[in-house]
Amino acid sequence: MRVNNYYDLLYREFQSKEEVITELINLEAILSLPKGTEHYISDLHGEAAAFAHTLKNGAGNIREKIFSLFEDRLPKEYLEELALFVYYPKESLANSQTPTAGWYTTRLAELIALTKACAGKYSRSKLRKALPKSFCYLLEELIYRTDENEKEQYDQAIVTKLIQLGQIDELLIALCQTIQRLVVDHLHVVGDIFDRGPAADQIMEQLTAHHSVDIQWGNHDILWLGAYSGSKVCLLTLLRIAARYNYLYEIENAYSLNLRPLFAYAENNYRPNPGFTPAGSQTETATSEDLLILEKVHQALAILQFKLEGQLIKRRPDFQLEHRLLFDKMDQTRSRIRLKDQWYPLQHTCFQTVAPEDPYALTFEESRVVNTLLKSFQTSVKMQKHMQFLLAKGSMYLIYNDQLLFHGCIPLTTSGAFQAVRIQGRSYAGRQLLDKIDQLLRQSAQQPQKHRDFATDFFWYAWSGRYSPLFGKTQMTTFERYFIADRSTHYEVKNPYYNLRDSPVICQQILAEFGLTTAKSHIINGHTPIKAKKGETPIKAAGRLFVIDGGLSKAYQKTTGIGGYTLLYNSIGFQLVTHQPFTSVAAVLEKQKEDLAVKRVVDKISGRTLIRETTIGHQLARQIDELEQLLTYLDEKLPLSL
């Protein structure tokens, strides 16, 4: 495109030269505002209620602002109730006795004051976008009113009319939702939305509705993207995990999956097996009949997964996963297996559909079941929506505001060098490795009809390969955990990264690999639960790296002892937030007090970070440059007037 044509197109966005100048002034003013608060969270693992609670309370930010604003004039118990009202206004109103007009007037004034406090670092135009459209004009009047002399009478008149119209509750609810939105400007999800818990679809719905979010893919996210892209082994694995943790029915209903052929096949070919009894919170309320059915389905999915793994390993020798061909290593009776020159007895066996002459071949019925499952998964409208969002908002890593975000690891050698990995005849290491994997995964996701091409198969390597940045272990010992009692065979050796990341020198080396050389840069990780109850700290390498997987998932809370970590980054630095396990909204409202999210400052900067110093600020600076060039172009083209 010729330069003149470009500026002609740019000018069409504005009706006059004065509009261009106004926009320039507005953008320059925005650059001088403090940066908004960023919220980092990882390893959500289907825990939608706990995730929603963290969003609603702004990782403790809302309560902190309430106490800062009102602590000197209102009792603590009242402020606790006010905080819960902001998180759950609809539920709070439903649970309370019919409020009086005076109560409504007071609560409206409190929420307006809190909104103003939360909106202090935003431009008026950005606040307007955050306000609910139905009440935008009215709320702007309340927020920006300067005459305080008749404030109480003004508020009472508004409340009286809203009560008459039956709209007062809706206004308060909308105002609380605005506060929730304002308190965090941008959300980073550092991987693992899916698996372990029952409600990943609800998390994805919350994320698609969020005003500003990015995602760094985790190994469990890749499993779902792989299934959507046509990887049958990824699909069977995620379904097996769902059966293992007893939320298979939940994802069947959430995504309208056709699991009937799978259940019929499992019923005909498998027996009850205590080694495959589902675990998880749903198991406590499940009927014995449901659990017996799931035991059979769980076995069927495991065997289908191992068969499809074997097929993939054989057609991709360059993945170097031959040591995972375990059906070959069983004796003829299938009661023992030979691993590293040692025989181990097998337990809970269910190999009746495994043919001795070709153990990795699917039967005709198995092929039909797998193909039906894949078609159902790929054609689910809701699944398509969620996976496309995961592709659009996600990546292997992200550099944002001079911070490096990735879920798992950067593969390293024991000496701390970047591990070279051969992919399609070429070696990749460090940043190039993550870029290449990102490229392959996107390539496959854009062509989901290709089920056995290299890019689609690579999803499996990303899930379980030795040098995958998303896995970071020598092997995945799923087979051993099911069938071998000797726990020494279950051990998975981690990549040297996980020991070396305690070193500031190694972290600086990794940051430099991604072009980050300033002291204010950090690595932000998820993936490995921090054992807080054993004294492990999420702060590594003298503060250069934060690991924020602290146990949001119930499956990990016995190990971690807490309800998860999140990280906040505002204009004055980083705060680490330690959350307590979340039970339910009803339990929180019954106590009328939230289990405190403990905050501590972990990296405070001198002065305040302004928007001009951020990633968004750099984008705005480029827009300013383009608008200034547009003015020059217009002056040359139309020097007298527009």
Side-chain angles (χ1 to χ4, degrees):
M1 181 186 295
R2 292 185 305 170
V3 173
N4 286 2
N5 288 346
Y6 170 76
Y7 287 118
D8 284 338
L9 287 173
L10 183 59
Y11 175 57
R12 289 178 192 174
E13 297 182 22
F14 304 94
Q15 300 301 310
S16 68
K17 185 174 178 179
E18 287 71 24
E19 284 191 13
V20 178
I21 293 171
T22 299
E23 181 66 7
L24 272 170
I25 295 170
N26 177 52
L27 293 178
E28 191 62 50
I30 290 172
L31 291 178
S32 300
L33 290 171
K35 74 175 288 296
T37 298
E38 297 169 64
H39 182 192
Y40 305 80
I41 191 168
S42 81
D43 297 271
L44 310 178
H45 286 302
E47 298 292 348
F51 174 60
H53 183 67
T54 304
L55 289 187
K56 288 177 181 296
N57 66 27
N61 250 359
I62 290 178
R63 183 181 182 277
E64 189 175 88
K65 287 187 180 295
I66 286 173
F67 272 75
S68 174
L69 197 60
F70 300 114
E71 191 171 23
D72 59 341
R73 50 197 172 97
L74 292 171
K76 181 179 179 181
E77 293 76 12
Y78 184 91
L79 298 183
E80 295 284 5
E81 181 273 327
L82 176 57
L84 292 180
F85 185 90
V86 175
Y87 310 158
Y88 300 107
K90 188 180 297 184
E91 294 84 351
S92 296
L93 287 165
N95 291 342
S96 65
Q97 297 179 349
T98 304
T100 64
W103 181 90
Y104 275 123
T105 302
T106 300
R107 185 52 43 104
L108 177 62
E110 291 163 351
L111 294 180
I112 290 295
L114 183 57
T115 302
K116 292 171 74 172
C118 294
K121 61 177 66 175
Y122 298 126
S123 66
R124 186 163 181 167
S125 62
K126 187 164 184 174
L127 174 60
R128 185 180 298 116
K129 292 175 184 177
L131 294 173
K133 292 182 180 179
S134 53
F135 297 108
C136 185
Y137 173 78
L138 175 59
L139 290 175
E140 275 200 276
E141 284 290 309
L142 290 168
I143 291 168
Y144 291 108
R145 180 183 53 214
T146 57
D147 184 3
E148 298 289 330
N149 294 329
E150 299 180 355
K151 177 179 181 297
E152 186 174 349
Q153 185 177 354
Y154 185 85
D155 288 355
Q156 287 175 351
I158 289 174
V159 167
T160 299
K161 196 63 181 178
L162 286 169
I163 291 174
Q164 290 175 359
L165 296 171
Q167 292 294 301
I168 184 64
D169 286 358
E170 284 70 17
L171 175 67
L172 296 184
I173 291 168
L175 200 49
C176 290
Q177 292 170 343
T178 299
I179 292 166
Q180 293 171 20
R181 174 170 174 170
L182 291 173
V183 79
V184 170
D185 189 44
H186 187 80
L187 177 67
H188 303 282
V189 181
V190 194
D192 277 0
I193 296 165
F194 294 91
D195 296 334
R196 306 292 191 202
D201 65 299
Q202 295 176 32
I203 294 176
M204 289 300 295
E205 287 296 302
Q206 292 175 66
L207 292 177
T208 56
H210 199 276
H211 60 279
S212 185
V213 62
D214 58 62
I215 301 165
Q216 292 71 61
W217 297 323
N219 50 320
H220 289 272
D221 307 322
I222 286 299
L223 201 58
W224 284 63
L225 272 176
Y228 173 71
S229 301
S231 172
K232 295 176 181 178
V233 64
C234 285
L235 173 60
L236 271 294
T237 302
L238 73 86
L239 292 175
R240 175 190 61 78
I241 294 171
R244 169 75 178 86
Y245 289 94
N246 193 15
Y247 57 88
L248 191 59
Y249 294 119
E250 281 78 7
I251 64 173
E252 177 187 29
N253 293 330
Y255 289 108
S256 302
L257 301 181
N258 179 15
L259 302 185
R260 186 171 299 174
L262 168 66
F263 275 72
Y265 164 75
E267 185 68 32
N268 292 334
N269 289 277
Y270 290 90
R271 304 179 300 275
N273 185 335
F276 288 83
T277 301
S281 57
Q282 288 88 324
T283 304
E284 299 170 4
T285 57
T287 67
S288 56
E289 183 181 357
D290 282 343
L291 292 178
L292 286 176
I293 292 171
L294 279 176
E295 278 185 15
K296 298 177 183 180
V297 172
H298 189 183
Q299 292 170 81
L301 290 167
I303 297 303
L304 287 170
Q305 175 191 323
F306 297 141
K307 285 186 175 185
L308 291 169
E309 276 185 37
Q311 293 179 17
L312 185 149
I313 290 168
K314 287 188 172 184
R315 71 173 174 264
R316 301 296 176 198
D318 46 339
F319 286 179
Q320 298 182 354
L321 292 170
E322 292 83 359
H323 59 290
R324 300 308 302 162
L325 292 170
L326 299 181
F327 284 165
D328 300 345
K329 297 175 176 62
M330 296 188 291
D331 66 4
Q332 291 184 344
T333 66
R334 297 178 182 177
S335 62
R336 297 188 305 160
I337 190 169
R338 188 179 180 88
L339 301 176
K340 295 182 179 178
D341 298 324
Q342 183 174 342
W343 287 99
Y344 295 90
L346 294 171
Q347 62 179 0
H348 307 306
T349 57
C350 51
F351 304 128
Q352 56 269 26
T353 66
V354 180
E357 66 278 5
D358 190 359
Y360 303 106
L362 299 186
T363 66
F364 175 80
E365 186 180 9
E366 287 173 334
S367 294
R368 183 176 61 84
V369 168
V370 170
N371 288 334
T372 300
L373 291 172
L374 182 63
K375 181 178 180 181
S376 177
F377 194 91
Q378 290 186 304
T379 56
S380 163
V381 174
K382 192 174 183 180
M383 186 69 70
Q384 291 173 353
K385 171 189 172 184
H386 290 174
M387 293 301 104
Q388 288 297 327
F389 182 83
L390 196 58
L391 281 168
K393 294 293 185 178
S395 57
M396 283 293 294
Y397 68 92
L398 180 69
I399 300 169
Y400 194 94
N401 289 345
D402 294 316
Q403 313 305 317
L404 175 60
L405 289 65
F406 56 86
H407 177 71
C409 71
I410 305 297
L412 300 175
T413 66
T414 54
S415 65
F418 294 115
Q419 175 69 55
V421 183
R422 285 192 74 77
I423 303 175
Q424 295 180 305
R426 180 179 169 185
S427 289
Y428 298 88
R431 184 175 186 171
Q432 286 188 341
L433 174 62
L434 271 68
D435 285 337
K436 179 61 178 178
I437 293 174
D438 193 294
Q439 175 199 354
L440 282 170
L441 301 186
R442 292 186 191 281
Q443 175 185 326
S444 176
Q446 290 164 3
Q447 299 176 320
Q449 70 280 6
K450 293 186 177 181
H451 299 161
R452 293 180 58 174
D453 63 309
F454 181 87
T456 302
D457 282 348
F458 200 84
F459 272 104
W460 183 249
Y461 186 88
W463 162 253
S464 62
R466 177 171 186 168
Y467 298 122
S468 166
L470 297 172
F471 179 51
K473 297 179 183 178
T474 53
Q475 59 183 347
M476 188 175 289
T477 57
T478 306
F479 182 98
E480 292 88 333
R481 292 168 188 268
Y482 277 122
F483 300 117
I484 303 176
D486 190 332
R487 289 180 175 270
S488 67
T489 65
H490 303 177
Y491 188 61
E492 299 167 345
V493 180
K494 293 181 180 179
N495 186 270
Y497 168 87
Y498 291 103
N499 289 325
L500 295 172
R501 69 181 179 181
D502 287 326
S503 164
V505 173
I506 291 295
C507 287
Q508 288 169 5
Q509 170 190 315
I510 293 171
L511 289 166
E513 169 73 2
F514 289 82
L516 300 171
T517 57
T518 66
K520 64 181 179 180
S521 295
H522 305 79
I523 296 170
I524 300 170
N525 258 176
H527 190 54
T528 51
I530 297 297
K531 301 176 180 63
K533 69 178 184 180
K534 293 185 178 180
E536 185 181 2
T537 175
I539 305 169
K540 310 288 185 182
R544 297 310 301 272
L545 185 149
F546 304 123
V547 183
I548 55 172
D549 179 4
L552 188 71
S553 170
K554 291 183 177 68
Y556 295 124
Q557 287 174 2
K558 288 183 180 179
T559 300
T560 63
I562 60 171
Y565 291 111
T566 60
L567 192 67
L568 297 173
Y569 178 29
N570 57 27
S571 61
I572 60 173
F574 283 91
Q575 290 178 308
L576 187 70
V577 186
T578 306
H579 300 273
Q580 297 306 309
F582 178 79
T583 52
S584 68
V585 175
V588 172
L589 292 176
E590 184 179 355
K591 288 170 63 176
Q592 279 295 293
K593 182 181 179 182
E594 181 188 14
D595 289 328
L596 296 182
V598 180
K599 286 186 180 183
R600 55 174 167 150
V601 176
V602 293
D603 193 359
K604 189 172 183 179
I605 62 175
S606 58
R608 302 192 81 177
T609 301
L610 303 182
I611 289 177
R612 71 172 66 255
E613 303 168 65
T614 68
T615 299
I616 295 296
H618 298 156
Q619 296 171 3
L620 295 179
R622 286 193 292 271
Q623 292 179 34
I624 288 172
D625 182 61
E626 290 178 343
L627 290 174
E628 287 176 342
Q629 292 182 55
L630 173 61
L631 281 179
T632 301
Y633 166 70
L634 291 174
D635 283 338
E636 292 173 352
K637 183 178 179 182
L638 302 169
L640 296 179
S641 70
L642 296 181

